[in-house]
Amino acid sequence: DIQLTQSPSFLSASVGDRVTITCRASQGISTYLAWYQQKPGKAPNPLIYATSTLQSGVSSRFSGSGSGTEFTLTISSLQPEDFATYYCQQVHSYPLTFGPGTKVDIK
Amino acid sequence: QVQLVQSGAEVRKPGASVKVSCKASGYRFTSYGITWVRQAPGQGLEWMGWINAYNGNTDYAQILQGRVTMTTDSSTSTAYMELTSLRSDDTAVFFCARTPSRLGATDYWGQGTLVTVSS
């Protein structure tokens, strides 16, 4: 199985900050990576697929990059509604797996 | 607009089974698959499997093989996930999500169904 790790696990930031979350895969997955945002008590909200393509309706302050084994999710200017937990998911091979999550909290 | 509406919360005793439904609307049901994901309290997301709503083909997480069955009913645009031989560590919120293909990211999610397994 492909394992995903995320760093940091927890991030404290202020409104307006530029935030970067890293996702690393245990083996190469080309660009078969997605990102999700989840707020407490809610379903995950798809943000990005194929490493860098924004889902419909997602703000352009979110961006993704990477390939192979290292990927990043960047929020260019953190907004109050962005405080949440972020998960990466590889869709390269079965079983599909999620990263453990990165919680973005208010500083 | 695309919507996935799941059935309500369930409580089961250990050893019992549960069947969660996910009714889709706003798109052609058989043109997509449905992924099921679960989330134990305070934990991360766990991929459970995928069903092709066109032909019923399935892929299940190895850890759930033999206990999980995913089905669809195209006449009602509804997907189902049944989990048997429930244990306390199956307590979780179960989500369904629309997925364009077998190896694809999800794009719309249901609201989640809490299943509590307790004696």
Side-chain angles (χ1 to χ4, degrees):
Chain A
D1 298 3
I2 296 175
Q3 309 300 320
L4 298 178
T5 58
Q6 290 183 233
S7 59
S9 301
F10 180 84
L11 186 159
S12 186
S14 300
V15 172
D17 284 353
R18 180 181 181 86
V19 167
T20 298
I21 298 168
T22 299
C23 176
R24 291 185 174 88
S26 60
Q27 61 192 77
I29 58 171
S30 184
T31 57
Y32 292 94
L33 191 94
W35 289 96
Y36 302 87
Q37 174 196 67
Q38 187 180 33
K39 297 180 181 179
K42 299 294 187 182
N45 175 38
L47 295 176
I48 287 172
Y49 65 96
T51 295
S52 59
T53 304
L54 293 182
Q55 290 279 3
S56 176
V58 173
S59 170
S60 59
R61 65 179 179 273
F62 292 94
S63 63
S65 64
S67 68
T69 61
E70 188 158 330
F71 303 84
T72 59
L73 171 69
T74 300
I75 309 173
S76 60
S77 177
L78 200 64
Q79 298 302 300
E81 60 269 29
D82 300 337
F83 292 98
T85 299
Y86 293 83
Y87 296 93
C88 56
Q89 181 199 23
Q90 65 83 16
V91 295
H92 176 273
S93 55
Y94 272 45
L96 305 188
T97 45
F98 289 92
T102 295
K103 185 175 181 180
V104 178
D105 210 343
I106 303 172
K107 182 183 285 185
Chain B
Q1 72 283 19
V2 174
Q3 278 193 305
L4 299 174
V5 179
Q6 298 183 224
S7 48
E10 304 272 13
V11 179
R12 292 288 186 274
K13 293 188 184 303
S17 300
V18 70
K19 192 170 186 176
V20 177
S21 68
C22 169
K23 184 171 177 58
S25 61
Y27 71 96
R28 185 172 180 173
F29 183 67
T30 53
S31 294
Y32 293 80
I34 295 288
T35 292
W36 289 89
V37 173
R38 69 177 177 178
Q39 186 170 38
Q43 301 301 307
L45 303 171
E46 180 184 16
W47 179 83
M48 300 178 67
W50 177 85
I51 182 166
N52 184 326
Y54 176 74
N55 58 21
N57 286 348
T58 54
D59 287 287
Y60 299 140
Q62 184 70 27
I63 195 172
L64 295 172
Q65 284 280 359
R67 290 207 300 137
V68 67
T69 303
M70 296 175 188
T71 57
T72 58
D73 181 348
S74 58
S75 69
T76 60
S77 298
T78 302
Y80 299 92
M81 186 286 300
E82 183 173 27
L83 191 60
T84 62
S85 301
L86 290 168
R87 308 184 293 248
S88 58
D89 62 358
D90 288 318
T91 293
V93 176
F94 291 77
F95 296 100
C96 64
R98 191 180 81 161
T99 313
S101 61
R102 183 174 176 267
L103 287 171
T106 60
D107 57 4
Y108 289 90
W109 289 59
Q111 83 276 18
T113 297
L114 174 62
V115 175
T116 302
V117 183
S118 173
S119 55

